[in-house]
Amino acid sequence: MVRKLDPPQTWNPMVENYLRATGFYHVSKIGVIRGFHPLLATLVERWRPETHTFVLPVGEVTVTLEDVAYIFGLPIDGEAVSGWTDSSGDFVQSQSHAIFGREPEVSRSTLFTDKSTAYAHAKYLPLLRDFDRIHTYSWGSACLAHLYRALCRASRFDTKEMDGPLNLLFVWAWERMPCIAPVPRNTLPPAEIPVAKR
């Protein structure tokens, strides 16, 4: 796996323009939200895979594309993030060579973060081949689909862990149900995109 190139404490200003051009700048500025296991367990317990909704005493609610755009600032219009998925060493080697001009120095490779937030999956490499098209994809739709899939998997009785965009889930819950937010809304800085940065 390839580690993040620029941890927050060593931010490289040269990368900022590239992040802005791809539409990932706002997401790159969001920190990691740790903990809150009771909230996660409660939401997973109330998730219904048949309808992709949380069933609460007041009714059914769900995270929407509008929420993804509001919370993360990711584009929700554009081309679908889709394609053939392969994690084999040959695939990673060929894609890395085609995109970066060299093969990775380590045996496993990923690009977009997983639950560790330090690694990402190599299946996204083909989408980065044409740098000028990265911003044309609906990354918000892909993020929402990933969250739904993760919640469906986590809601199974034999699952003990959950991956996916948990920051999105936590911030969504705090925005939609402010009474459970760890910080009162009136003490937060002014709203900005992404809301998750607040």
Side-chain angles (χ1 to χ4, degrees):
M1 295 190 169
V2 179
R3 293 227 176 247
K4 283 184 181 176
L5 296 177
D6 297 301
Q9 66 272 21
T10 60
W11 179 258
N12 183 341
M14 293 174 51
V15 175
E16 183 175 328
N17 289 335
Y18 293 110
L19 289 170
R20 287 185 187 278
T22 60
F24 291 123
Y25 175 74
H26 294 299
V27 175
S28 72
K29 302 303 279 180
I30 298 171
V32 176
I33 299 173
R34 299 200 186 275
F36 304 107
H37 299 291
L39 174 59
L40 180 59
T42 302
L43 289 171
V44 169
E45 181 180 300
R46 297 189 169 276
W47 180 255
R48 296 298 172 262
E50 311 82 38
T51 58
H52 292 117
T53 59
F54 298 102
V55 179
L56 303 175
V58 295
E60 294 184 20
V61 295
T62 195
V63 183
T64 65
L65 277 176
E66 183 180 76
D67 293 321
V68 177
Y70 176 68
I71 293 170
F72 276 176
L74 287 172
I76 57 174
D77 295 324
E79 297 179 57
V81 176
S82 65
W84 178 60
T85 301
D86 186 356
S87 298
S88 70
D90 291 340
F91 173 79
V92 172
Q93 299 270 342
S94 67
Q95 292 299 313
S96 295
H97 193 282
I99 296 169
F100 305 116
R102 64 186 176 103
E103 295 179 0
E105 298 174 9
V106 291
S107 60
R108 299 169 67 209
S109 224
T110 56
L111 189 62
F112 287 91
T113 60
D114 61 7
K115 63 185 172 188
S116 71
T117 73
Y119 303 105
H121 203 283
K123 67 184 175 187
Y124 297 103
L125 284 175
L127 297 171
L128 303 177
R129 182 173 264 177
D130 186 354
F131 190 81
D132 294 330
R133 289 191 47 175
I134 294 172
H135 74 282
T136 66
Y137 291 103
S138 177
W139 294 104
S141 300
C143 180
L144 185 62
H146 187 86
L147 177 64
Y148 282 7
R149 185 180 309 114
L151 283 164
C152 289
R153 287 180 182 156
S155 67
R156 290 187 278 198
F157 73 94
D158 58 343
T159 304
K160 305 257 188 280
E161 295 181 348
M162 180 178 169
D163 68 348
L166 298 182
N167 283 1
L168 172 63
L169 184 60
F170 291 139
V171 174
W172 172 83
W174 296 328
E175 283 291 307
R176 298 296 180 216
M177 299 172 272
C179 60
I180 64 170
V183 178
R185 197 175 266 177
N186 61 351
T187 63
L188 292 172
E192 61 183 59
I193 289 187
V195 172
K197 187 177 176 189
R198 295 190 308 163

